[in-house]
Amino acid sequence: MPSSTSAVAPKSTESWHAPSFRPEDINALISGVDRYNPHNVSLLEDYLDVQIKDGQHDCFANLAILKLYQFNPNMSNAKVVIDILLLALVSTPTIDSPDFSLAQSLALDRPSQAMLKQQNYDDEDDAAGHVDEIETVMPYLQKLWALLKECKFREFWNVWKSDKSDGAEVIRSQYLPNHNHAVSSLRLLIATTIASSFSSIQTSRLQKWLDLDSANEVSSFVEGLNGWTVQGDSVKIEGNGDNDVKAGVVKEQVELSRESRWTDQVVTEHGQLMPTILCHCRVDEVDLGRCAVR
Amino acid sequence: MSQAFYDDPESLLPEPSAYQPATSADLDQRQGQYQEYIDEHGLTGAGVPQEDDGEEERERLEGLKSALEQVPDEVKKFIQSFHQAILNNDTPSILSMYESGWNRITQQYYSNEEWPEGEVVAGLVGGDQLFLTLYRELYFRHVYAKLEPNVDDRFQSYENICELFNLLLNSEQPVPLDLPIQWLWDMLDEFVYQFQSFAQWRSVVKNKSEDELAMLAENPQIWSCYSVLNVLYSLVQKSQINEQLVAEKNGSSPEEVAEIAGDYGSKPLYRNLGYFSLICLLRVHTLLGDPTLALQTMQNMDLSNNSLLTKITACHVTTYYHVGFAYMALGRYPDAIKIFVSVLIFFNRMKQYHTRSYQYGSIAKQCERMYALLAVCTTLSPGPSDDGIMNTVKERYGEQLTAMQSGKEETAIPAFRELFLGASPKFLSPVSPPYEDHDSLAAWVSEPPQDALVRQTDLFIQNVQVQLGVSTMRSFLKLYTSIDATKLANFLDEDEDTVLERMMSLKSASRSYGHKQGEGSLLDGERFVTNNLDFFIDGSMVQVAETTTNRRFAGFFIRNAENANRVFETIKNAPLPIPRSAQSGGSGQQQQQQQQQRPGGAGGQRTGGQGKGPGGAGGAPRTGGVARAPGTSPWAR
């Protein structure tokens, strides 16, 4: 893990809907009507391969692939769909990010499998051997995703490594070998989740949750993260706005300039009136500066 | 926004004398014109075949002629003056005929049947193609709204609307037509509605007649997703609406915007069609289960209270409903709540002017759905919100709220499911059953794909299910300022790791991304804390931090300041008092004069709540200054 990694939830959605690594041509493609052109699907599929190779995730570009499949079921490529779902699952920026749901929403909008078999039969004469891989892996992926959302990390790793379902076998044998970054992305995701709740955590617990084999591995993992330090038998996590919250008081703020026209009149025409009213109402949080400027 | 509803549209209708019953001489004359017209041009109305094969054609013309004779005179007259108004681009007359004339005649003559067909009335309007497509647009809308559309209606309405858009988009120069924005919105709104209705009808393979099956097999392009999106995107591109909106946002002058807009986009007709097409795209993408694309198409749109979309209530409500729903699908519940609340406040304030509108029912229904969605969203992401709206939610969905908040799977999930099913848009799938291939169709019927609405509901329930335990944890934490996780584990009868896992889940449920109005696109958002109750864990010690809210004074302040201002205005506008002793005789007259002037002075103040930020119900400026003013002036008595 590179030393500059931060396990903090992104402050804004920009890196999600417009990631900095997205190439210009892909950006132009998915923000125009060209995204409906079936001929462009290979460009997007190639980009998906790059993402998988580099351990990155461009949710919107991948949704554009699924959109094309949704409109043109004959083009749909089960392998690509599963790659997208798996990538959305392991590379989501936070566990509350909707990446996996969005991908499901489009990926599962597909015609009946009987019909596809029928058509495949027409084309290739091997209807009998056709297995709907998406249907096979879906329950497994959904289970993994639910465990992540519920933060049941111990069980998650258990299912990740040793689930016996057909879907799990398919994912492990055919997909994970290509998704080299899957495990490190998942650990980062879990670390991000932990960091938003904990200011310090027992090393042994961290080890279980991250599925690391020894305390040494925990140390080297922690060293790679900004603001994480091992202290005795626990790991300290630097304050990030979420793990150092304080009780506070919310003060009411009203932008008078937007409320109605009387504000400027009251202030500019008869400055005397305003203090009287203020006093009367005991309003202590009105931004008079803004009011007067306006 | 309100202007159109204050004016009585009926008053804009031509004087009743213009509707004098036609004498038989008139009638003969008109038929003479019609006959003349046919003699000269043949029938060139849209959809009318032009081949001239003797007997059959003559019979057909006879048929049309006698059909026209059946049409009541008042209707003929109406169609002619409607046509005339459109030819003259006489917008006020068009608006009044569109909004009230058409409905009045519908009620009187066509409450249970179709209006006369386009070909029948073609002669009345000189075969004006453009008018006839507009007429048919209204004709089919009436069929969809009041009657049961049959397969022919569905196909023909598609062909007609495409013809209309073709006329507009493929003309060599902008069509010099100016229609009220209300109509343009309704037209596109109806376009999406009919698409949705067709897609639903098409997805049910059973109970289709031979004819219907054959027509569906031969015409897969009718109401296909690609063609509908094509129309909408073409309107967007022709009008350069996105470029225009960007330029406006960047503060370009109207001239600069017009230049960017080009020949077409600078015409109100094209600009408005393009603008409403963006909203229709939002809708279509939401229906197809793609909320990110839905919000993406709206990225240059201004949703604030001054934007064009708020000028038409139906458009305002539809836009906000779909934007809110898209946020919900992204799990951004606070954004969804904000959007729903703001439009509901607006609607509650406007509805008194609206009960007469024929769309009132459907708008009210959409608002009803938003209350249900609010119940769902506020359960998933509790936080401060508008009290008035939330009271309505509690009144209507109290039972479901209790069930959803119980945190018990067997009671909560059915309640979530019920509300979501009833309140979500009617999702659809872009793919048609394979009507063109008999074997594939049989395979389709034997194993139909999952219904789009059910699929989306299941997805949503997946999201809800993982959050169920959260509310229990939250109510536990409320009791402490700090507590050891082991102790909490004992209470909950769970092991410590499980409790900590649930805490992290609670943490993630109380964070979201929030959009700031006027900043960036709708997809932009900053991470923020959604709930008053927050915590962090130090080792195994849970430290609770609850944020309290000060009492709110602003609403009170604003009301009083406004009241004071009103008093001041009244005083300022009142004439100076004249010493009583000097004018003992004339004082009565003087007082009278004062009273006449005063309403005028007070009337110069605001007459309605303008420019309200969403959620700001507390600060509603009072109206009614006119009535109160005389009593508050010390000189009044």
Side-chain angles (χ1 to χ4, degrees):
Chain A
M1 186 148 306
S3 60
S4 61
T5 313
S6 290
V8 179
K11 293 286 174 238
S12 85
T13 52
E14 201 184 344
S15 59
W16 176 66
H17 68 78
S20 53
F21 56 81
R22 181 190 292 160
E24 197 39 57
D25 57 332
I26 297 287
N27 194 43
L29 178 62
I30 62 174
S31 29
V33 282
D34 240 11
R35 66 180 358 256
Y36 298 101
N37 184 347
H39 295 301
N40 288 327
V41 76
S42 56
L43 279 175
L44 291 165
E45 287 171 351
D46 291 347
Y47 179 45
L48 171 68
D49 288 337
V50 172
Q51 292 171 50
I52 294 173
K53 210 168 114 260
D54 296 351
Q56 288 168 327
H57 181 218
D58 186 342
C59 178
F60 280 47
N62 299 341
L63 290 177
I65 301 180
L66 295 175
K67 180 103 240 166
L68 280 167
Y69 290 173
Q70 184 194 24
F71 280 12
N72 310 280
N74 294 330
M75 281 167 50
S76 180
N77 178 342
K79 186 183 170 307
V80 174
V81 173
I82 295 171
D83 272 336
I84 293 175
L85 287 165
L86 185 58
L87 189 65
L89 179 88
V90 301
S91 298
T92 185
T94 58
I95 55 163
D96 48 296
S97 191
D99 306 37
F100 186 69
S101 297
L102 293 171
Q104 275 192 89
S105 167
L106 294 180
L108 300 185
D109 184 7
R110 55 209 191 110
S112 85
Q113 293 315 297
M115 192 197 91
L116 283 189
K117 276 180 214 162
Q118 174 76 34
Q119 288 183 343
N120 278 356
Y121 181 71
D122 289 350
D123 295 345
E124 297 167 25
D125 276 332
D126 65 351
H130 180 84
V131 183
D132 180 12
E133 219 168 56
I134 298 178
E135 206 169 287
T136 314
V137 302
M138 216 53 229
Y140 177 60
L141 293 180
Q142 283 170 342
K143 188 170 171 187
L144 286 173
W145 179 79
L147 290 171
L148 271 184
K149 282 277 272 189
E150 291 181 279
C151 307
K152 295 184 175 163
F153 302 133
R154 292 166 299 164
E155 200 181 337
F156 171 83
W157 289 113
N158 198 11
V159 172
W160 176 262
K161 291 190 292 191
S162 20
D163 192 77
K164 293 282 180 282
S165 69
D166 291 348
E169 298 297 337
V170 170
I171 291 287
R172 274 196 292 266
S173 63
Q174 296 175 33
Y175 290 89
L176 284 187
N178 292 329
H179 287 250
N180 291 323
H181 296 273
V183 172
S184 58
S185 300
L186 282 168
R187 288 203 177 117
L188 185 64
L189 173 67
I190 293 172
T192 306
T193 314
I194 293 171
S196 72
S197 288
F198 287 84
S199 60
S200 77
I201 181 170
Q202 290 164 16
T203 314
S204 57
R205 180 166 286 142
L206 191 61
Q207 186 184 331
K208 271 187 292 176
W209 286 357
L210 290 172
D211 186 43
L212 294 166
D213 287 335
S214 64
N216 280 344
E217 277 190 27
V218 176
S219 310
S220 61
F221 179 83
V222 164
E223 274 165 29
L225 289 180
N226 279 346
W228 290 46
T229 42
V230 182
Q231 283 189 2
D233 61 354
S234 69
V235 173
K236 271 240 171 293
I237 304 170
E238 204 175 58
N240 54 28
D242 282 346
N243 65 351
D244 52 358
V245 291
K246 292 192 177 60
V249 177
V250 175
K251 294 174 177 177
E252 189 179 21
Q253 288 198 345
V254 177
E255 287 191 29
L256 285 176
S257 55
R258 287 172 65 186
E259 285 300 325
S260 71
R261 276 191 312 173
W262 56 259
T263 47
D264 51 359
Q265 293 178 5
V266 169
V267 175
T268 56
E269 288 179 24
H270 24 92
Q272 301 301 316
L273 200 51
M274 185 64 105
T276 324
I277 299 162
L278 283 180
C279 192
H280 174 59
C281 308
R282 292 179 301 146
V283 171
D284 49 9
E285 292 304 330
V286 174
D287 187 350
L288 276 178
R290 186 188 298 278
C291 186
V293 170
R294 161 95 169 82
Chain B
M1 133 99 269
S2 48
Q3 205 49 45
F5 304 99
Y6 289 129
D7 288 338
D8 182 9
E10 291 281 351
S11 65
L12 295 169
L13 276 177
E15 289 298 299
S17 59
Y19 281 122
Q20 268 170 4
T23 61
S24 59
D26 276 347
L27 219 64
D28 285 344
Q29 199 194 353
R30 206 168 303 127
Q31 277 164 3
Q33 284 169 353
Y34 180 44
Q35 196 54 56
E36 232 170 77
Y37 170 76
I38 293 172
D39 290 346
E40 269 178 40
H41 309 276
L43 270 174
T44 55
V48 181
Q50 293 197 31
E51 78 269 35
D52 206 347
D53 47 3
E55 195 58 29
E56 221 171 277
E57 177 67 4
R58 200 167 306 134
E59 250 172 53
R60 213 179 56 80
L61 290 180
E62 280 302 313
L64 287 182
K65 198 174 156 190
S66 67
L68 186 65
E69 277 167 25
Q70 307 288 318
V71 176
D73 289 331
E74 195 188 350
V75 178
K76 285 186 201 158
K77 196 91 192 166
F78 174 78
I79 291 171
Q80 281 173 325
S81 42
F82 203 4
H83 179 223
Q84 203 54 47
I86 287 175
L87 282 184
N88 299 341
N89 271 344
D90 176 0
T91 324
S93 308
I94 299 176
L95 185 65
S96 85
M97 288 195 242
Y98 173 73
E99 287 204 321
S100 55
W102 177 273
N103 294 327
R104 193 172 45 78
I105 293 191
T106 300
Q107 264 174 12
Q108 199 171 341
Y109 298 100
Y110 303 110
S111 55
N112 295 314
E113 55 180 306
E114 295 96 341
W115 276 68
E117 292 204 14
E119 344 183 343
V120 174
V121 303
L124 292 174
V125 296
D128 181 343
Q129 275 218 35
L130 185 60
F131 176 78
L132 286 174
T133 52
L134 290 171
Y135 173 82
R136 286 202 191 92
E137 193 268 315
L138 293 173
Y139 168 92
F140 287 117
R141 208 194 296 172
H142 169 62
V143 171
Y144 272 86
K146 298 274 165 65
L147 315 162
E148 191 66 28
N150 61 28
V151 61
D152 289 328
D153 291 326
R154 289 177 188 278
F155 277 62
Q156 285 166 13
S157 75
Y158 172 79
E159 279 156 7
N160 182 62
I161 199 79
C162 287
E163 192 178 327
L164 175 60
F165 290 135
N166 274 335
L167 282 174
L168 297 177
L169 289 170
N170 299 334
S171 62
E172 278 173 19
Q173 43 186 311
V175 177
L177 177 71
D178 203 359
L179 295 179
I181 52 168
Q182 177 76 45
W183 191 349
L184 297 176
W185 161 253
D186 289 345
M187 192 187 282
L188 284 167
D189 179 57
E190 180 73 11
F191 178 63
V192 176
Y193 167 74
Q194 290 183 6
F195 158 65
Q196 182 188 342
S197 160
F198 185 87
Q200 261 156 6
W201 175 77
R202 186 183 59 187
S203 68
V204 183
V205 180
K206 278 181 198 162
N207 304 330
K208 293 260 186 300
S209 72
E210 287 293 316
D211 270 359
E212 289 169 342
L213 290 173
M215 282 173 85
L216 283 166
E218 281 162 26
N219 300 289
Q221 85 290 353
I222 296 265
W223 289 119
S224 76
C225 245
Y226 264 115
S227 60
V228 167
L229 288 175
N230 192 17
V231 166
L232 296 174
Y233 278 114
S234 301
L235 288 168
V236 168
Q237 280 180 337
K238 196 82 177 182
S239 63
Q240 297 281 303
I241 186 66
N242 273 318
E243 290 77 2
Q244 291 195 52
L245 291 172
V246 169
E248 279 171 19
K249 218 184 221 173
N250 296 338
S252 302
S253 68
E255 293 77 30
E256 285 166 342
V257 174
E259 195 175 319
I260 289 165
D263 289 346
Y264 288 85
S266 53
K267 301 273 177 304
L269 176 81
Y270 289 91
R271 189 197 143 92
N272 292 330
L273 280 174
Y275 184 86
F276 293 137
S277 294
L278 288 176
I279 296 171
C280 289
L281 284 170
L282 159 79
R283 240 176 102 187
V284 172
H285 291 316
T286 311
L287 290 176
L288 294 173
D290 200 341
T292 50
L293 197 50
L295 293 177
Q296 238 175 315
T297 56
M298 296 285 285
Q299 63 181 343
N300 300 317
M301 203 76 131
D302 169 24
L303 284 191
S304 75
N305 280 14
N306 313 318
S307 63
L308 177 62
L309 64 92
T310 59
K311 302 253 185 309
I312 301 167
T313 309
C315 172
H316 190 170
V317 172
T318 298
T319 310
Y320 275 56
Y321 169 77
H322 287 92
V323 168
F325 191 85
Y327 275 137
M328 238 181 108
L330 294 182
R332 284 166 64 168
Y333 303 113
D335 275 340
I337 294 171
K338 232 163 50 182
I339 287 279
F340 290 146
V341 165
S342 90
V343 74
L344 288 171
I345 289 176
F346 161 82
F347 178 71
N348 287 342
R349 212 175 285 157
M350 293 317 295
K351 66 180 169 194
Q352 48 180 319
Y353 306 114
H354 263 281
T355 41
R356 285 193 313 163
S357 157
Y358 85 104
Q359 289 165 323
Y360 180 77
S362 69
I363 298 173
K365 211 182 278 171
Q366 209 153 30
C367 288
E368 200 50 49
R369 290 173 173 179
M370 286 193 267
Y371 281 112
L373 293 178
L374 268 179
V376 172
C377 290
T378 50
T379 305
L380 292 173
S381 178
S385 191
D386 183 83
D387 292 339
I389 298 292
M390 288 319 294
N391 282 341
T392 316
V393 172
K394 278 174 207 147
E395 264 166 42
R396 299 194 192 167
Y397 300 101
E399 216 174 284
Q400 288 93 330
L401 277 172
T402 320
M404 289 188 293
Q405 287 163 0
S406 70
K408 292 195 195 81
E409 185 161 347
E410 61 282 7
T411 47
I413 294 297
F416 274 113
R417 187 177 282 276
E418 177 206 327
L419 289 186
F420 190 87
L421 274 172
S424 52
K426 303 289 163 248
F427 288 107
L428 39 96
S429 173
V431 179
S432 162
Y435 286 103
E436 68 288 347
D437 177 356
H438 201 269
D439 293 340
S440 298
L441 189 62
W444 176 289
V445 174
S446 72
E447 194 187 308
Q450 200 181 19
D451 177 72
L453 178 58
V454 175
R455 190 181 61 243
Q456 293 291 342
T457 312
D458 287 349
L459 263 180
F460 179 72
I461 295 298
Q462 275 183 19
N463 277 312
V464 170
Q465 211 134 22
V466 294
Q467 270 205 43
L468 272 185
V470 161
S471 63
T472 329
M473 286 306 284
R474 191 177 278 140
S475 45
F476 251 104
L477 285 190
K478 275 208 168 120
L479 306 172
Y480 302 93
T481 49
S482 68
I483 181 172
D484 198 284
T486 42
K487 208 166 144 197
L488 202 53
N490 278 340
F491 287 143
L492 293 165
D493 205 13
E494 308 263 17
D495 69 67
E496 195 181 325
D497 272 57
T498 310
V499 169
L500 291 174
E501 285 165 355
R502 287 229 231 146
M503 298 290 291
M504 286 188 285
S505 186
L506 168 62
K507 191 75 166 189
S508 105
S510 55
R511 290 292 183 280
S512 183
Y513 289 95
H515 174 68
K516 284 200 182 126
Q517 197 175 17
E519 282 178 28
S521 79
L522 291 177
L523 284 165
D524 281 318
E526 303 278 324
R527 197 162 178 83
F528 78 110
V529 185
T530 61
N531 200 269
N532 288 343
L533 191 79
D534 211 343
F535 66 91
F536 67 93
I537 308 164
D538 185 2
S540 63
M541 199 60 169
V542 181
Q543 306 284 351
V544 183
E546 188 165 8
T547 303
T548 48
T549 309
N550 266 352
R551 242 185 97 186
R552 295 175 178 260
F553 295 115
F556 184 74
F557 162 70
I558 288 166
R559 275 196 301 279
N560 277 280
E562 212 198 24
N563 200 17
N565 189 46
R566 200 154 42 221
V567 172
F568 181 79
E569 289 282 323
T570 316
I571 298 169
K572 207 169 71 174
N573 289 327
L576 283 174
I578 293 159
R580 199 168 280 253
S581 55
Q583 290 261 342
S584 59
S587 71
Q589 198 191 351
Q590 187 66 39
Q591 267 180 11
Q592 218 176 353
Q593 210 178 339
Q594 278 175 23
Q595 273 165 5
Q596 276 168 356
Q597 282 183 1
R598 207 165 288 118
Q605 297 172 32
R606 295 125 295 286
T607 47
Q610 43 155 328
K612 297 276 296 92
R622 280 230 193 121
T623 54
V626 177
R628 298 165 56 90
T632 51
S633 167
W635 291 279
R637 43 189 97 87

